[in-house]
Amino acid sequence: MTSLEVAGVAGTWVAAGLAVVALIGIAGQIVAWRTSRTERYKAISAVGPVNYGFIGKGWWAGPNTRVYRRIAAPDIKDEKLFANASQVWTYERYEHLSDSLRTSSWVQFGGLLKCYKFDLRYGNVLDIQGGRTWLPIHRSYLMAIGILGRVGRRPDRGKWDGRASRVSFYSRDHERDRDHHRGRDRELGRRPTVDSAWGPTYYGITAAIQFHESRQGKTKEVLYTPQSKDDIGMITAEQISLREMFLMAVGCIPSGSEECYWLADSFLTFEENEDVYASSLLSDDPDDGPALDRPTHITRIQAMVENNSDLGELADLPEADEMRALELIVISELDPRLERLAKPFSALPAREKIKTLGVVRLDRETLSSLKNLSDATYLPATADWIRIPRGKQSYRRDSNVKEYIRRRDGQSLALALLNIKWHPEGYIIGGISSQHRSIRFLTSAGSTKVFILFITRLQLGIETLGLTLDQKRSFFDSAKNVKDQLNIAKKWYKERKSRSLMQALYLFQQNIKSVVHKSSRANQMIGILMISNAEFFALVLESARFLETAGTMPIDIDLTAGTIKVLSGFGVTRTFVVDVDILSPGPNRGSTPEAKATILHTHVLMASLEACLTSVMLNCSFDADRFVSEVLECDEVLFMG
């Protein structure tokens, strides 16, 4: 083949190649233009510049145009058992975690799941409607993030320094959301309702969550708005498992014997209507008894139990209407909705392990013993009953009724509270803002005024407590911080619960733990009496006035018999009793390596202060009631935009 022929063939192929390139360029631009006009392209482009790899970059097809973008969003639409629900969770900030409001909320939610190291699958699972991407999520993931993020109706908006500035959902594509929902309304021939369709905002330490109610009455859509990194602050590792945190979120306190105690009253029935904010996680039964309380805000967490009928003949005496005896009894039935919600967390124990306070049918003998106790300022330490403090007058119809709980049951509740491993962020606890008897009993030692007085007396006598120089300085500084936070809380009632207050209480607790006696059993006995025995509480508080003479006074504790001997006024020795078998549940009940202990008055003060502090921390916890109920009543699968 001559050189001329070779040049001709080469020229032909070059021309053909150029024609193909030109054709691809023209056709590609047409394809890119048509792709950019599709709903899918617009929706994916609207996700935002930060997507944590959930949406691929695709191919460049022109200025601000990329096609064939691969979607690998978190596939969390199916229920999944959290295999590590019993392990301690750690928040590790994702390297590129962004708090930009230009990023879709489902992307932010997926980034937070990565921070907590959830075991995720990925796929093309996005639902595209109205120019928006929606990620289907199973409500168990929302519940888990809500628990870990302490989500609820928080006056501090979840910000670490307690500032109450409001997280705005309107700054994130609100116009687009509004047009999107109004477009749906127009398609259905209905008037636009989006401006009033969004429910209340639930704030947490990592984000705020807001639900949208569908027209079928189920929660279909949810918005997730992250807190800024400055507002999130430093989050430390969890102290307890996700399972235990779930139990507390629904209103239970786990105990060391695989039991849990439901904090809600078991013998109330409430009317549910538009005016009274009430619902139930446990079955309601109109035959369970008359409605005793009608508080302005009623917890949604209730228990239904059947009272034991073999407790003797009901006393037909006028005094029977003035007394009420309570005891821990096994619940009779769980709402199936709660069992389904708890399944991914493997949270709920067997029904016979869940106990709550129920009413004891008074026979003549029991009524007579309660009548003998009713006029006493302090009940005898050996009495089988403990008086429950009265609730606020505005919350109670039967405020004149004197209520008692069995001593053993009251001490079991106190021990369960003392065994909680607290976190600097605290926990969300179902129904904690209510006036339920268990809550009133456990928070009775946490009066802000008395607690501040107790701290002040210890600060004034700090030189007599036998602490080292570093311990004195640490104790004094942390105590001052707690007093400052509590005084702020007293002035601004709506800011009573905040992250800054809970963190101050936690740091104070750690300082106290470093100076208490080495015998945990002795500390438990002191703490139980501080919460459950009003006379012991009064004696300890009064003794803090005379630290110069009482600081080195020895206190005898019988760890086997469960007795503590305390010197009272005029040389009288008082003996207080603790049911020791609740301290050592299981086959080795009642056994202990040491029979007796002699500790200093200083150690009694520190153990007592820790018990009061625990009561304060419970009282300052955020109520999970409404958020849990919101999740409980929504669909299994929600859509996050």
Side-chain angles (χ1 to χ4, degrees):
M1 183 179 291
T2 64
S3 299
L4 184 61
E5 291 174 335
V6 171
V9 172
T12 301
W13 281 106
V14 170
L18 292 174
V20 170
V21 170
L23 179 62
I24 292 175
I26 297 173
Q29 290 298 319
I30 295 174
V31 171
W33 179 81
R34 294 188 62 182
T35 300
S36 65
R37 305 291 293 177
T38 62
E39 183 183 31
R40 181 180 186 277
Y41 176 85
K42 293 179 180 179
I44 293 177
S45 299
V47 167
V50 179
N51 57 57
Y52 308 139
F54 299 146
I55 297 179
K57 294 183 178 180
W59 294 89
W60 183 88
N64 301 322
T65 305
R66 287 185 172 272
V67 296
Y68 304 116
R69 301 183 68 180
R70 179 183 58 87
I71 296 177
D75 187 358
I76 53 177
K77 63 181 181 298
D78 298 323
E79 182 180 69
K80 178 184 178 181
L81 297 178
F82 296 111
N84 51 355
S86 295
Q87 298 177 1
V88 173
W89 287 69
T90 303
Y91 175 89
E92 296 184 8
R93 184 170 296 172
Y94 192 49
E95 183 179 1
H96 302 295
L97 187 64
S98 171
D99 52 16
S100 171
L101 296 180
R102 296 177 56 194
T103 303
S104 295
S105 62
W106 69 262
V107 174
Q108 301 282 9
F109 189 77
L112 187 63
L113 293 177
K114 285 188 173 185
C115 287
Y116 282 107
K117 296 188 178 298
F118 278 79
D119 184 17
L120 301 176
R121 297 178 302 169
Y122 302 92
N124 187 6
V125 294
L126 293 179
D127 181 36
I128 298 176
Q129 292 185 15
R132 294 292 306 277
T133 53
W134 297 87
L135 178 69
I137 63 172
H138 195 273
R139 64 177 182 177
S140 59
Y141 287 91
L142 192 65
M143 185 68 184
I145 288 298
I147 293 172
L148 294 169
R150 278 70 170 173
V151 174
R153 301 302 302 274
R154 302 175 58 128
D156 68 340
R157 312 298 186 200
K159 301 181 184 297
W160 74 269
D161 59 353
R163 293 177 299 169
S165 58
R166 181 183 297 273
V167 174
S168 174
F169 287 94
Y170 297 95
S171 58
R172 180 202 298 278
D173 301 325
H174 176 65
E175 295 295 329
R176 182 171 53 196
D177 291 338
R178 183 181 62 189
D179 294 340
H180 167 60
H181 288 288
R182 285 180 174 173
R184 290 185 180 179
D185 288 326
R186 293 190 192 99
E187 292 175 4
L188 296 173
R190 299 177 178 176
R191 297 181 62 185
T193 57
V194 65
D195 291 336
S196 60
W198 292 99
T201 304
Y202 300 97
Y203 294 93
I205 60 178
T206 56
I209 296 175
Q210 195 175 31
F211 294 89
H212 176 265
E213 299 291 338
S214 74
R215 297 173 183 84
Q216 289 74 27
K218 293 284 187 177
T219 303
K220 290 288 187 180
E221 299 166 1
V222 59
L223 279 182
Y224 170 93
T225 298
Q227 300 275 21
S228 68
K229 292 181 180 178
D230 291 336
D231 288 330
I232 291 177
M234 183 63 67
I235 301 178
T236 59
E238 299 295 345
Q239 304 292 324
I240 59 177
S241 67
L242 186 60
R243 172 186 176 273
E244 293 174 290
M245 295 174 69
F246 177 89
L247 283 175
M248 288 198 287
V250 299
C252 286
I253 293 184
S255 69
S257 57
E258 299 183 355
E259 291 182 345
C260 66
Y261 303 124
W262 210 273
L263 294 178
D265 292 333
S266 63
F267 50 91
L268 301 184
T269 57
F270 298 126
E271 295 178 357
E272 293 185 0
N273 51 52
E274 295 181 356
D275 298 326
V276 181
Y277 190 84
S279 181
S280 175
L281 293 185
L282 299 177
S283 299
D284 290 325
D285 188 349
D287 299 327
D288 200 37
L292 300 177
D293 290 12
R294 303 286 186 192
T296 304
H297 169 68
I298 303 174
T299 178
R300 291 190 171 193
I301 300 173
Q302 266 182 265
M304 189 204 79
V305 300
E306 295 177 356
N307 291 326
N308 196 340
S309 58
D310 336 335
L311 293 176
E313 178 186 0
L314 187 64
D316 185 18
L317 297 173
E319 294 86 350
D321 295 332
E322 302 174 2
M323 308 287 177
R324 184 176 298 123
L326 307 174
E327 64 180 357
L328 288 174
I329 55 179
V330 176
I331 65 170
S332 62
E333 185 178 353
L334 274 172
D335 192 316
R337 296 176 301 162
L338 178 59
E339 294 181 305
R340 290 175 60 187
L341 185 64
K343 181 180 177 182
F345 304 93
S346 304
L348 291 179
R351 186 178 58 82
E352 59 271 12
K353 295 289 186 179
I354 305 176
K355 296 182 177 180
T356 185
L357 285 185
V359 178
V360 177
R361 294 190 62 189
L362 295 178
D363 57 22
R364 295 180 182 276
E365 181 181 354
T366 304
L367 183 59
S368 176
S369 63
L370 293 180
K371 179 63 176 176
N372 294 333
L373 299 174
S374 62
D375 295 329
T377 303
Y378 298 119
L379 304 188
T382 56
D384 293 331
W385 301 94
I386 300 173
R387 186 182 290 130
I388 296 180
R390 294 182 177 181
K392 295 180 181 179
Q393 197 78 8
S394 59
Y395 285 86
R396 304 289 311 280
R397 268 193 171 187
D398 55 348
S399 56
N400 293 326
V401 176
K402 296 179 180 179
E403 297 176 320
Y404 301 86
I405 180 177
R406 291 194 188 276
R407 185 186 70 198
R408 175 188 171 82
D409 293 339
Q411 293 183 352
S412 297
L413 286 171
L415 179 62
L417 175 62
L418 293 172
N419 286 338
I420 293 178
K421 296 180 180 179
W422 288 93
H423 188 271
E425 302 294 344
Y427 301 107
I428 53 173
I429 301 178
I432 193 61
S433 299
S434 68
Q435 283 287 302
H436 291 300
R437 275 79 178 170
S438 296
I439 296 173
R440 281 193 278 119
F441 172 72
L442 293 176
T443 57
S444 60
S447 167
T448 300
K449 181 178 179 180
V450 177
F451 184 62
I452 291 178
L453 176 63
F454 195 3
I455 295 175
T456 303
R457 289 178 176 177
L458 293 181
Q459 285 181 308
L460 294 175
I462 195 170
E463 297 297 334
T464 65
L465 296 180
L467 305 179
T468 65
L469 182 61
D470 290 340
Q471 289 175 337
K472 290 178 185 177
R473 184 182 298 110
S474 179
F475 179 87
F476 194 89
D477 291 344
S478 58
K480 182 179 182 301
N481 189 21
V482 167
K483 288 171 60 178
D484 292 342
Q485 291 292 334
L486 289 174
N487 284 323
I488 293 174
K490 287 168 60 179
K491 294 179 181 178
W492 303 98
Y493 178 75
K494 291 185 178 180
E495 300 298 322
R496 179 170 58 91
K497 300 179 180 181
S498 65
R499 291 181 66 182
S500 54
L501 172 59
M502 186 58 69
Q503 289 173 8
L505 294 173
Y506 175 80
L507 292 177
F508 192 34
Q509 185 189 49
Q510 300 310 302
N511 283 321
I512 296 173
K513 285 183 177 295
S514 65
V515 295
V516 295
H517 194 266
K518 63 180 181 179
S519 173
S520 60
R521 191 179 181 90
N523 294 329
Q524 284 181 338
M525 292 174 60
I526 295 170
I528 288 173
L529 290 173
M530 198 66 181
I531 294 174
S532 62
N533 192 291
E535 183 181 7
F536 186 85
F537 180 93
L539 287 175
V540 170
L541 187 64
E542 183 67 15
S543 68
R545 296 175 56 196
F546 309 102
L547 292 180
E548 293 184 359
T549 56
T552 58
M553 182 178 64
I555 307 295
D556 294 328
I557 301 180
D558 191 327
L559 301 176
T560 303
T563 59
I564 299 179
K565 294 184 178 181
V566 178
L567 186 63
S568 182
F570 299 100
V572 177
T573 301
R574 300 285 291 114
T575 301
F576 297 92
V577 181
V578 175
D579 292 280
V580 291
D581 55 341
I582 68 173
L583 301 178
S584 304
N588 297 323
R589 177 169 296 183
S591 62
T592 178
E594 49 184 337
K596 294 184 179 181
T598 300
I599 65 177
L600 298 179
H601 177 250
T602 297
H603 294 137
V604 174
L605 290 175
M606 289 302 169
S608 300
L609 181 62
E610 184 180 5
C612 291
L613 178 61
T614 304
S615 185
V616 172
M617 295 177 80
L618 177 66
N619 198 29
C620 292
S621 298
F622 291 97
D623 200 332
D625 186 29
R626 296 192 180 186
F627 174 75
V628 172
S629 298
E630 193 89 57
V631 177
L632 185 78
E633 294 167 2
C634 70
D635 291 337
E636 293 282 332
V637 178
L638 303 92
F639 290 89
M640 182 173 288

Short mmCIF file of all heavy atoms in Angstrom, two decimals, residues 90-121:
data_model
loop_
_atom_site.label_atom_id
_atom_site.label_comp_id
_atom_site.label_asym_id
_atom_site.label_seq_id
_atom_site.Cartn_x
_atom_site.Cartn_y
_atom_site.Cartn_z
N THR A 90 -20.32 4.40 72.54
CA THR A 90 -19.38 5.52 72.53
C THR A 90 -19.65 6.42 71.34
O THR A 90 -19.79 5.94 70.22
CB THR A 90 -17.92 5.02 72.47
OG1 THR A 90 -17.69 4.15 73.58
CG2 THR A 90 -16.96 6.19 72.55
N TYR A 91 -19.74 7.70 71.58
CA TYR A 91 -19.91 8.68 70.50
C TYR A 91 -18.54 9.10 70.03
O TYR A 91 -17.77 9.67 70.77
CB TYR A 91 -20.70 9.88 71.00
CG TYR A 91 -20.84 11.01 69.99
CD1 TYR A 91 -21.91 11.03 69.11
CD2 TYR A 91 -19.92 12.03 69.93
CE1 TYR A 91 -22.05 12.05 68.19
CE2 TYR A 91 -20.05 13.07 69.02
CZ TYR A 91 -21.11 13.07 68.15
OH TYR A 91 -21.25 14.09 67.24
N GLU A 92 -18.22 8.80 68.77
CA GLU A 92 -16.97 9.25 68.18
C GLU A 92 -17.30 10.15 67.01
O GLU A 92 -17.97 9.73 66.07
CB GLU A 92 -16.13 8.05 67.72
CG GLU A 92 -15.67 7.16 68.86
CD GLU A 92 -14.77 6.04 68.39
OE1 GLU A 92 -14.39 6.07 67.20
OE2 GLU A 92 -14.45 5.16 69.20
N ARG A 93 -16.86 11.38 67.09
CA ARG A 93 -17.23 12.36 66.08
C ARG A 93 -16.70 11.95 64.71
O ARG A 93 -15.53 11.68 64.54
CB ARG A 93 -16.68 13.73 66.47
CG ARG A 93 -17.10 14.84 65.52
CD ARG A 93 -16.74 16.18 66.10
NE ARG A 93 -17.48 16.42 67.32
CZ ARG A 93 -17.26 17.46 68.12
NH1 ARG A 93 -16.32 18.31 67.82
NH2 ARG A 93 -17.97 17.63 69.21
N TYR A 94 -17.60 11.89 63.74
CA TYR A 94 -17.23 11.54 62.38
C TYR A 94 -16.30 12.62 61.83
O TYR A 94 -16.49 13.81 62.08
CB TYR A 94 -18.50 11.42 61.53
CG TYR A 94 -18.29 10.80 60.17
CD1 TYR A 94 -17.60 9.61 60.03
CD2 TYR A 94 -18.80 11.40 59.03
CE1 TYR A 94 -17.43 9.03 58.80
CE2 TYR A 94 -18.64 10.84 57.79
CZ TYR A 94 -17.95 9.66 57.67
OH TYR A 94 -17.79 9.09 56.44
N GLU A 95 -15.30 12.21 61.07
CA GLU A 95 -14.25 13.13 60.66
C GLU A 95 -14.79 14.34 59.89
O GLU A 95 -14.35 15.47 60.09
CB GLU A 95 -13.22 12.39 59.79
CG GLU A 95 -12.05 13.27 59.37
CD GLU A 95 -11.04 12.51 58.54
OE1 GLU A 95 -11.29 11.32 58.29
OE2 GLU A 95 -10.04 13.10 58.13
N HIS A 96 -15.79 14.10 59.06
CA HIS A 96 -16.33 15.18 58.24
C HIS A 96 -17.77 15.50 58.64
O HIS A 96 -18.54 15.96 57.80
CB HIS A 96 -16.27 14.81 56.76
CG HIS A 96 -14.88 14.49 56.28
ND1 HIS A 96 -13.88 15.44 56.23
CD2 HIS A 96 -14.32 13.34 55.84
CE1 HIS A 96 -12.77 14.88 55.77
NE2 HIS A 96 -13.01 13.61 55.53
N LEU A 97 -18.12 15.25 59.88
CA LEU A 97 -19.49 15.54 60.31
C LEU A 97 -19.76 17.03 60.18
O LEU A 97 -19.04 17.86 60.72
CB LEU A 97 -19.70 15.10 61.76
CG LEU A 97 -21.14 15.19 62.28
CD1 LEU A 97 -22.05 14.25 61.51
CD2 LEU A 97 -21.20 14.86 63.76
N SER A 98 -20.80 17.37 59.47
CA SER A 98 -21.13 18.76 59.21
C SER A 98 -22.44 19.12 59.88
O SER A 98 -23.35 18.29 59.97
CB SER A 98 -21.24 19.00 57.69
OG SER A 98 -21.76 20.28 57.42
N ASP A 99 -22.53 20.36 60.34
CA ASP A 99 -23.79 20.83 60.91
C ASP A 99 -24.46 21.84 59.98
O ASP A 99 -25.27 22.65 60.41
CB ASP A 99 -23.59 21.42 62.30
CG ASP A 99 -22.49 22.48 62.31
OD1 ASP A 99 -22.11 22.95 61.21
OD2 ASP A 99 -22.01 22.83 63.39
N SER A 100 -24.10 21.78 58.71
CA SER A 100 -24.67 22.70 57.74
C SER A 100 -26.15 22.43 57.55
O SER A 100 -26.58 21.28 57.37
CB SER A 100 -23.95 22.56 56.39
OG SER A 100 -24.62 23.31 55.39
N LEU A 101 -26.95 23.48 57.59
CA LEU A 101 -28.38 23.33 57.39
C LEU A 101 -28.73 23.15 55.92
O LEU A 101 -29.90 22.95 55.58
CB LEU A 101 -29.12 24.54 57.97
CG LEU A 101 -29.01 24.72 59.48
CD1 LEU A 101 -29.76 25.95 59.93
CD2 LEU A 101 -29.52 23.48 60.20
N ARG A 102 -27.72 23.23 55.03
CA ARG A 102 -27.98 23.01 53.61
C ARG A 102 -28.00 21.53 53.26
O ARG A 102 -28.33 21.16 52.15
CB ARG A 102 -26.90 23.72 52.78
CG ARG A 102 -26.90 25.23 52.92
CD ARG A 102 -25.76 25.84 52.12
NE ARG A 102 -25.84 25.44 50.72
CZ ARG A 102 -24.84 25.60 49.85
NH1 ARG A 102 -23.70 26.13 50.26
NH2 ARG A 102 -24.98 25.23 48.59
N THR A 103 -27.61 20.69 54.20
CA THR A 103 -27.57 19.25 53.97
C THR A 103 -28.88 18.62 54.42
O THR A 103 -29.42 18.97 55.47
CB THR A 103 -26.40 18.62 54.74
OG1 THR A 103 -25.19 19.25 54.35
CG2 THR A 103 -26.30 17.14 54.46
N SER A 104 -29.38 17.68 53.63
CA SER A 104 -30.65 17.03 53.96
C SER A 104 -30.55 16.35 55.32
O SER A 104 -29.50 15.85 55.72
CB SER A 104 -31.01 16.00 52.88
OG SER A 104 -31.27 16.64 51.66
N SER A 105 -31.68 16.28 56.00
CA SER A 105 -31.67 15.77 57.36
C SER A 105 -31.34 14.29 57.41
O SER A 105 -30.71 13.82 58.35
CB SER A 105 -33.01 16.06 58.04
OG SER A 105 -34.06 15.42 57.37
N TRP A 106 -31.74 13.52 56.38
CA TRP A 106 -31.43 12.09 56.41
C TRP A 106 -29.93 11.85 56.27
O TRP A 106 -29.40 10.86 56.81
CB TRP A 106 -32.20 11.33 55.34
CG TRP A 106 -31.81 11.59 53.91
CD1 TRP A 106 -32.41 12.43 53.03
CD2 TRP A 106 -30.73 10.97 53.18
NE1 TRP A 106 -31.78 12.41 51.81
CE2 TRP A 106 -30.75 11.51 51.88
CE3 TRP A 106 -29.76 10.04 53.50
CZ2 TRP A 106 -29.83 11.14 50.89
CZ3 TRP A 106 -28.84 9.65 52.53
CH2 TRP A 106 -28.89 10.20 51.24
N VAL A 107 -29.23 12.75 55.58
CA VAL A 107 -27.78 12.64 55.49
C VAL A 107 -27.15 12.89 56.86
O VAL A 107 -26.24 12.17 57.29
CB VAL A 107 -27.24 13.63 54.45
CG1 VAL A 107 -25.71 13.63 54.45
CG2 VAL A 107 -27.76 13.28 53.06
N GLN A 108 -27.63 13.90 57.56
CA GLN A 108 -27.13 14.18 58.90
C GLN A 108 -27.42 13.03 59.84
O GLN A 108 -26.60 12.68 60.70
CB GLN A 108 -27.77 15.47 59.44
CG GLN A 108 -27.51 16.71 58.59
CD GLN A 108 -26.11 17.26 58.80
OE1 GLN A 108 -25.28 16.64 59.44
NE2 GLN A 108 -25.86 18.43 58.25
N PHE A 109 -28.60 12.43 59.70
CA PHE A 109 -28.96 11.29 60.53
C PHE A 109 -28.03 10.11 60.28
O PHE A 109 -27.57 9.45 61.21
CB PHE A 109 -30.42 10.90 60.26
CG PHE A 109 -30.97 9.87 61.20
CD1 PHE A 109 -31.37 10.22 62.47
CD2 PHE A 109 -31.09 8.54 60.81
CE1 PHE A 109 -31.88 9.28 63.35
CE2 PHE A 109 -31.59 7.59 61.67
CZ PHE A 109 -31.98 7.96 62.94
N GLY A 110 -27.75 9.85 58.99
CA GLY A 110 -26.81 8.77 58.66
C GLY A 110 -25.42 9.03 59.19
O GLY A 110 -24.74 8.12 59.66
N GLY A 111 -24.98 10.32 59.15
CA GLY A 111 -23.68 10.65 59.71
C GLY A 111 -23.63 10.41 61.21
O GLY A 111 -22.61 9.96 61.75
N LEU A 112 -24.74 10.70 61.91
CA LEU A 112 -24.77 10.45 63.35
C LEU A 112 -24.74 8.96 63.65
O LEU A 112 -24.10 8.52 64.61
CB LEU A 112 -26.02 11.08 63.95
CG LEU A 112 -26.11 11.05 65.48
CD1 LEU A 112 -24.98 11.85 66.09
CD2 LEU A 112 -27.45 11.57 65.96
N LEU A 113 -25.40 8.14 62.82
CA LEU A 113 -25.33 6.69 63.00
C LEU A 113 -23.88 6.21 62.88
O LEU A 113 -23.46 5.29 63.59
CB LEU A 113 -26.21 5.99 61.97
CG LEU A 113 -27.72 6.19 62.10
CD1 LEU A 113 -28.46 5.48 60.97
CD2 LEU A 113 -28.24 5.69 63.44
N LYS A 114 -23.13 6.84 61.96
CA LYS A 114 -21.72 6.49 61.84
C LYS A 114 -20.94 6.89 63.09
O LYS A 114 -20.02 6.18 63.51
CB LYS A 114 -21.11 7.18 60.62
CG LYS A 114 -21.51 6.55 59.29
CD LYS A 114 -20.71 7.19 58.15
CE LYS A 114 -20.96 6.48 56.84
NZ LYS A 114 -20.11 7.01 55.74
N CYS A 115 -21.32 8.03 63.68
CA CYS A 115 -20.63 8.46 64.90
C CYS A 115 -20.78 7.43 66.01
O CYS A 115 -19.85 7.22 66.80
CB CYS A 115 -21.20 9.80 65.36
SG CYS A 115 -20.72 11.20 64.35
N TYR A 116 -21.95 6.81 66.11
CA TYR A 116 -22.18 5.80 67.13
C TYR A 116 -21.81 4.40 66.66
O TYR A 116 -22.07 3.42 67.36
CB TYR A 116 -23.65 5.83 67.56
CG TYR A 116 -23.97 6.95 68.52
CD1 TYR A 116 -24.71 8.05 68.10
CD2 TYR A 116 -23.54 6.91 69.84
CE1 TYR A 116 -25.00 9.09 68.99
CE2 TYR A 116 -23.83 7.94 70.72
CZ TYR A 116 -24.56 9.02 70.29
OH TYR A 116 -24.86 10.04 71.16
N LYS A 117 -21.25 4.32 65.43
CA LYS A 117 -20.77 3.04 64.89
C LYS A 117 -21.86 1.98 64.81
O LYS A 117 -21.68 0.83 65.22
CB LYS A 117 -19.57 2.53 65.70
CG LYS A 117 -18.36 3.45 65.63
CD LYS A 117 -17.14 2.82 66.29
CE LYS A 117 -15.94 3.75 66.16
NZ LYS A 117 -15.56 4.00 64.76
N PHE A 118 -23.03 2.37 64.30
CA PHE A 118 -24.07 1.40 64.01
C PHE A 118 -23.61 0.51 62.85
O PHE A 118 -22.93 0.96 61.93
CB PHE A 118 -25.37 2.10 63.61
CG PHE A 118 -26.19 2.56 64.78
CD1 PHE A 118 -25.86 3.72 65.47
CD2 PHE A 118 -27.30 1.84 65.20
CE1 PHE A 118 -26.62 4.15 66.54
CE2 PHE A 118 -28.06 2.27 66.28
CZ PHE A 118 -27.72 3.43 66.95
N ASP A 119 -23.99 -0.74 62.91
CA ASP A 119 -23.69 -1.69 61.83
C ASP A 119 -24.71 -1.46 60.72
O ASP A 119 -25.86 -1.90 60.81
CB ASP A 119 -23.75 -3.12 62.36
CG ASP A 119 -23.35 -4.14 61.29
OD1 ASP A 119 -22.74 -3.73 60.29
OD2 ASP A 119 -23.68 -5.33 61.45
N LEU A 120 -24.29 -0.78 59.65
CA LEU A 120 -25.22 -0.36 58.61
C LEU A 120 -24.98 -1.10 57.30
O LEU A 120 -23.85 -1.49 56.98
CB LEU A 120 -25.07 1.16 58.36
CG LEU A 120 -25.31 2.09 59.55
CD1 LEU A 120 -25.02 3.52 59.15
CD2 LEU A 120 -26.74 1.95 60.06
N ARG A 121 -26.06 -1.26 56.56
CA ARG A 121 -25.99 -1.69 55.17
C ARG A 121 -26.35 -0.49 54.29
O ARG A 121 -27.03 0.42 54.73
CB ARG A 121 -26.95 -2.84 54.88
CG ARG A 121 -26.64 -4.12 55.65
CD ARG A 121 -27.68 -5.18 55.35
NE ARG A 121 -29.03 -4.70 55.69
CZ ARG A 121 -30.14 -5.33 55.33
NH1 ARG A 121 -30.07 -6.43 54.62
NH2 ARG A 121 -31.32 -4.84 55.70
#
